[in-house]
Amino acid sequence: MSDTAGAAVRYSRVMLKISGEALMGDQGYGLHPPTVNRIAEEVKSVRDMGVEICMVIGGGNIFRGLQGSAQGMERTTADYMGMLATVMNALAMQSALEAMGVFTRVISAIPMDQVCEPYIRRRAVRHLEKKRVCIFAAGTGNPYFTTDTAATLRASEMACQAIFKGTKVDGVYDKDPKKHPDARRYDHVTYDEVLEKHLGVMDATAIALARDNDLPIIVFSLDEPGGFRGILAGEGTYTRVQG
């Protein structure tokens, strides 16, 4: 219990960034409700520790702007379509969390008042203070910026103490561990090393923004049951990006 209490004090407010693909489960497209519910349970378990939680979810399970532009679509239009996909994912996660009794707000960078709130920083901070989970949707509201950058921007604005990046692997490796059995995992890596070695933690804009605001990024496996809560309790395997 002391570890958990200490973790809640050490990280009283965090950002959880996950990809849209994390919601697909074993499907090739769209949403897999059991997977959405499993991730929602992880979020609830951390919220129950007293930690205030922000979330940003990508949209790649529905539409990815870069792929659309690669197929001949105008880039800004493709990016706006990708932003709308993130709103759909955010609403799905909100539904799952509220079914578990967790009060949740979807806050969109693109105003769409019938389905979610517009982004107003002070209001979002108030939601967090009331222990509501805030899911920030529609990226930054601007084309050419990824949801990684949106997560880092919102984490900075909300005064989060760390960004938790949930991935398919348990940290940052020097090469793809699924393709290379000799891949080496880093316990700690600096922002500059991530950029110099192209380690693929987040895009360069997000890493530079995190570095400028001294915001640590903790990369962990979202597929590990209890992984999110475990790291907050001082356990588990992860890579810390900082310094």
Side-chain angles (χ1 to χ4, degrees):
M1 186 66 187
S2 59
D3 283 347
T4 302
V9 171
R10 187 164 72 245
Y11 291 123
S12 59
R13 182 179 294 171
V14 300
M15 165 66 73
L16 174 63
K17 167 61 171 73
I18 61 176
S19 66
E21 288 89 343
L23 306 183
M24 291 192 309
D26 295 329
Q27 302 173 157
Y29 175 84
L31 291 157
H32 182 239
T35 300
V36 176
N37 288 334
R38 180 181 63 79
I39 295 171
E41 286 171 357
E42 295 267 339
V43 173
K44 180 181 185 299
S45 71
V46 171
R47 198 289 309 257
D48 290 346
M49 294 168 68
V51 180
E52 297 169 3
I53 301 175
C54 306
M55 290 183 72
V56 168
I57 307 171
N61 57 320
I62 298 171
F63 188 87
R64 187 179 288 280
L66 275 173
Q67 289 178 353
S69 64
Q71 293 168 7
M73 187 178 291
E74 198 265 324
R75 172 67 189 269
T76 54
T77 299
D79 279 356
Y80 280 122
M81 291 174 68
M83 291 178 214
L84 296 178
T86 71
V87 177
M88 295 170 69
N89 285 339
L91 292 172
M93 183 58 64
Q94 179 187 44
S95 178
L97 284 165
E98 294 203 328
M100 298 172 186
V102 178
F103 292 111
T104 308
R105 295 291 185 273
V106 173
I107 301 169
S108 173
I110 299 173
M112 46 185 85
D113 294 347
Q114 272 101 338
V115 296
C116 50
E117 293 185 8
Y119 176 67
I120 300 170
R121 191 189 70 85
R122 290 174 67 92
R123 183 189 290 177
V125 169
R126 187 68 181 131
H127 288 319
L128 290 170
E129 290 170 349
K130 291 184 175 181
K131 306 303 179 186
R132 296 165 181 158
V133 173
C134 289
I135 307 176
F136 296 100
T140 65
N142 301 292
Y144 295 95
F145 290 92
T146 67
T147 51
D148 281 345
T149 301
T152 311
L153 174 65
R154 296 294 184 236
S156 300
E157 290 179 302
M158 294 296 107
C160 291
Q161 294 160 319
I163 299 172
F164 282 73
K165 174 75 184 285
T167 68
K168 293 284 187 185
V169 293
D170 60 354
V172 179
Y173 286 78
D174 58 355
K175 48 194 170 186
D176 188 343
K178 294 184 178 178
K179 296 179 182 175
H180 304 278
D182 62 337
R184 184 171 66 88
R185 186 179 63 79
Y186 297 97
D187 288 325
H188 179 273
V189 64
T190 67
Y191 304 113
D192 289 338
E193 284 176 317
V194 169
L195 294 172
E196 289 165 10
K197 297 177 181 178
H198 303 285
L199 294 177
V201 177
M202 288 180 162
D203 67 83
T205 306
I207 294 295
L209 184 59
R211 179 187 61 193
D212 291 348
N213 291 281
D214 195 24
L215 188 61
I217 303 166
I218 294 168
V219 183
F220 72 105
S221 173
L222 199 63
D223 291 340
E224 184 71 30
F228 187 23
R229 179 187 173 93
I231 292 167
L232 279 161
E235 304 162 358
T237 305
Y238 58 90
T239 298
R240 185 182 185 89
V241 182
Q242 192 176 24

